[in-house]
């Protein structure tokens, strides 16, 4: 099963273990590439303009509250993605996109 943009997947990252990530790569490119770009999910609130709160649709259960950290970008080989958790709702994804554009100056 291929991941889709906006989905939350668990992935094993060398040196850091298994973590949840939000997939950012656009869907047409996912099938063509061996890697995806994703942001780390954390249980720490951080700054409100970089840490986007995620609701129940994301399927996260490790923390009382979970956040997509727009400043923690990763390129992950697709074979390392092993457990689909859920998906961000439209407003969460829009907030994450704005935060990433601000962070990267786009």
């Amino acid at each position: 099963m291929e991941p889709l943009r906006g989905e939350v997947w668990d992935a094993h990252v060398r040196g850091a273990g298994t973590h949840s990530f939000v997939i950012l790569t656009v869907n047409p490119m996912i099938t063509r590439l061996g890697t995806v770009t994703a942001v780390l999910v954390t249980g720490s609130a951080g700054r409100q303009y970089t840490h986007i709160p995620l609701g129940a649709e994301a399927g996260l259960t490790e923390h009382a509250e979970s956040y997509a950290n727009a400043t923690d970008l990763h390129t992950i080989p697709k074979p390392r993605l092993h457990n689909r958790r859920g998906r961000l709702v439209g407003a969460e994804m829009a907030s994450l996109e704005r935060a990433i554009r601000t962070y990267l100056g786009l």
Side-chain angles (χ1 to χ4, degrees):
M1 173 195 298
E2 292 276 7
L4 297 172
R5 180 176 173 85
E7 288 183 341
V8 178
W9 282 74
D10 289 338
H12 182 76
V13 178
R14 285 192 182 138
T18 299
H19 295 280
S20 296
F21 293 87
V22 177
I23 306 300
L24 296 177
T25 303
V26 294
N27 291 336
M29 295 303 294
I30 289 173
T31 58
R32 297 179 180 145
L33 300 173
T35 61
V36 294
T37 300
V39 297
L40 182 75
V41 173
T42 181
S44 301
R47 302 197 183 275
Q48 82 180 62
Y49 52 86
T50 62
H51 287 61
I52 308 307
L54 304 178
E57 302 289 328
L60 299 159
T61 57
E62 287 74 33
H63 309 286
E65 296 179 344
S66 294
Y67 303 86
N69 181 353
T71 67
D72 203 343
L73 297 160
H74 293 258
T75 301
I76 302 171
K78 289 191 302 187
R80 291 184 184 259
L81 300 170
H82 58 83
N83 180 38
R84 183 188 180 277
R85 296 297 196 112
R87 187 177 186 98
L88 273 60
V89 297
E92 292 168 343
M93 193 64 189
S95 293
L96 180 57
E97 290 167 347
R98 276 192 304 277
I100 291 167
R101 280 194 302 272
T102 299
Y103 174 63
L104 296 177
L106 302 175

